[in-house]
């Protein structure tokens, strides 16, 4: 039986200056949700990022039932506190804390999707010895650096791209800069990924309960529409086996003509490209979620 749209609460961040308003970045989605009959409730994102303030963050949530979050990225521990605070108000997130972590952190999803994504080695923490060991496991060639949840690709040459993993000192300079830029947001440890030469812009696909419901451009390249030859059904069974309710999967075309998975992410904190109408994403909730 299809779940009624009105039974799903959309949770969005409040504006920092005007806490009774929706954060401008998510206002269009909130408007579209209200127009479609969804309850919309505000949460305090800043409070969610502070220890022991999750209950304060959700005090404006008065509706009860199942909820979907559309907001800024949260660490897995912050999301778990968010989940528990909502449960105390009789609200259940469609994505559990464990499911969020499995989609949000690369080491949690990598083994299931390793055949379709660049080879990756990671460390626990930021120790130099462990980092050098990860480099040796890749043996030689270029690599891309990130942590468990995010890269610094906009600082490509100084904090993301490692020209040669055999150059341990050069790689460590990149890692040091990466850690400096990530600061307190650094999550888990270093992830070193084999560099693959991609010819296309990334394509963002949106999945609900293991089915691809929407295909669009990546937020970094919103004008680059997805090519018709990308067929997510080919990888659908693999993503479905993850058992995750709402995720995004970003793909890019490699130089040999093979579509490769660049990133998996939790759909609640995956950005919507500006060229995608907010109603399209709200329709994903409407048509995708099932009892």
């Amino acid at each position: 039986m299809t779940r009624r749209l009105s039974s799903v609460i959309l949770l969005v961040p409040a504006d920092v200056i005007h806490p009774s308003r929706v954060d401008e970045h998510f206002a269009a989605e909130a408007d579209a949700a209200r127009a479609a009959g969804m309850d919309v409730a505000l949460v305090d994102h800043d409070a969610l990022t502070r220890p022991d303030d999750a209950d304060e963050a959700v005090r404006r949530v008065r509706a009860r039932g199942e909820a979907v979050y559309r907001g800024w990225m949260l660490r897995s521990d912050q999301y778990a506190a968010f989940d528990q605070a909502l449960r105390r108000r009789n609200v259940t997130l469609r994505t559990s804390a464990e499911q969020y972590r499995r989609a949000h952190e690369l080491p949690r999803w990598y083994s299931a999707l390793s055949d379709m994504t660049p080879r990756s080695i990671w460390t626990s923490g930021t120790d130099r010895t462990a980092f050098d060991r990860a480099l040796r496991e890749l043996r030689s060639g270029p690599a891309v650096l990130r942590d468990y949840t995010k890269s610094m690709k906009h600082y490509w040459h100084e904090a993301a791209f490692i020209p040669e993993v055999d150059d341990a000192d050069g790689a460590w300079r990149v890692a040091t800069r990466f850690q400096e830029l990530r600061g307190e947001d650094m999550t888990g440890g270093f992830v070193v990924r084999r560099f693959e030469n991609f010819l296309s812009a990334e394509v963002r696909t949106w999945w609900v309960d293991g089915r691809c419901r929407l295909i669009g451009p990546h937020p970094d390249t919103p004008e680059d529409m997805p090519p018709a030859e990308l067929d997510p059904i080919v990888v659908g069974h693999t993503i479905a086996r993850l058992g995750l309710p709402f995720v995004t999967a970003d793909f890019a075309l490699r130089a040999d003509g093979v579509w490769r998975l660049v990133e998996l992410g939790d759909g609640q904190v995956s950005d919507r490209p500006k060229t995608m109408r907010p109603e399209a994403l709200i329709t994903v909730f409407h048509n995708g979620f099932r009892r």
Side-chain angles (χ1 to χ4, degrees):
M1 184 167 92
T2 303
R3 180 183 287 107
R4 290 178 58 207
L5 184 59
S6 58
S7 69
V8 180
I9 307 162
L10 182 67
L11 304 174
V12 291
D15 184 88
V16 175
I17 306 300
H18 304 285
S20 63
R21 302 178 188 173
V22 179
D23 184 304
E24 182 180 3
H25 191 81
F26 301 97
E29 290 180 28
D31 288 344
R34 289 192 187 100
M38 291 180 73
D39 289 322
V40 176
L42 299 176
V43 298
D44 183 338
H45 177 266
D46 287 351
L48 283 176
T49 65
R50 297 192 297 264
D52 305 319
D53 264 2
D55 286 304
E56 172 64 20
V58 302
R59 66 180 177 84
R60 291 176 176 270
V61 181
R62 294 183 173 84
R64 297 181 178 186
E66 193 170 56
V68 176
Y69 174 61
R70 281 291 298 158
W72 302 114
M73 189 177 292
L74 295 166
R75 293 200 314 265
S76 296
D77 61 316
Q78 294 166 346
Y79 187 89
F82 182 32
D83 178 54
Q84 289 301 312
L86 287 168
R87 288 177 186 274
R88 288 190 284 272
R89 302 180 75 87
N90 297 307
V91 176
T92 304
L93 284 165
R94 184 69 164 72
T95 299
S96 71
E98 187 276 331
Q99 289 170 329
Y100 178 84
R101 188 177 186 189
R102 193 158 13 123
H104 189 53
E105 298 183 8
L106 182 145
R108 299 283 171 169
W109 57 258
Y110 176 78
S111 62
L113 304 176
S114 59
D115 288 346
M116 63 178 71
T117 198
R119 187 175 182 225
S120 303
I121 310 294
W122 55 86
T123 69
S124 178
T126 57
D127 178 71
R128 169 74 190 262
T129 301
F131 179 74
D132 287 346
R133 188 181 306 118
L135 296 179
R136 289 195 296 272
E137 286 195 49
L138 282 186
R139 297 187 180 179
S140 64
V144 178
L145 182 69
R146 53 169 288 167
D147 66 12
Y148 287 12
T149 65
K150 189 175 177 62
S151 73
M152 296 300 293
K153 61 185 178 182
H154 298 299
Y155 297 84
W156 180 253
H157 290 290
E158 59 180 304
F161 182 62
I162 298 173
E164 176 53 65
V165 296
D166 281 343
D167 178 8
D169 288 339
W172 183 245
R173 284 193 292 273
V174 174
T176 300
R177 179 59 173 153
F178 174 87
Q179 189 175 1
E180 178 183 287
L181 289 169
R182 286 290 280 146
E184 294 181 355
D185 293 326
M186 179 84 184
T187 302
F190 296 116
V191 179
V192 187
R193 311 198 76 195
R194 172 70 66 201
F195 174 78
E196 295 187 3
N197 186 21
F198 297 129
L199 301 180
S200 74
E202 292 180 34
V203 175
R204 175 153 289 180
T205 60
W206 302 76
W207 301 71
V208 172
D209 291 335
R211 297 184 64 185
C212 184
R213 298 289 183 173
L214 192 61
I215 302 175
H218 191 276
D220 290 346
T221 52
E223 305 297 336
D224 291 330
M225 294 296 114
E229 63 266 24
L230 173 62
D231 184 4
I233 294 176
V234 174
V235 299
H237 67 285
T238 304
I239 293 179
R241 283 203 303 268
L242 293 171
L244 299 174
F246 183 33
V247 298
T248 53
D250 298 337
F251 293 91
L253 186 64
R254 197 168 59 187
D256 61 359
V258 176
W259 285 98
R260 299 284 281 166
L261 176 70
V262 178
E263 178 76 276
L264 189 83
D266 184 85
Q268 299 174 108
V269 296
S270 296
D271 203 9
R272 173 180 56 87
K274 65 182 182 180
T275 49
M276 178 182 288
R277 295 173 64 249
E279 292 83 2
L281 194 54
I282 297 305
T283 299
V284 167
F285 302 147
H286 183 227
N287 294 337
F289 291 153
R290 304 279 179 179
R291 287 194 185 277

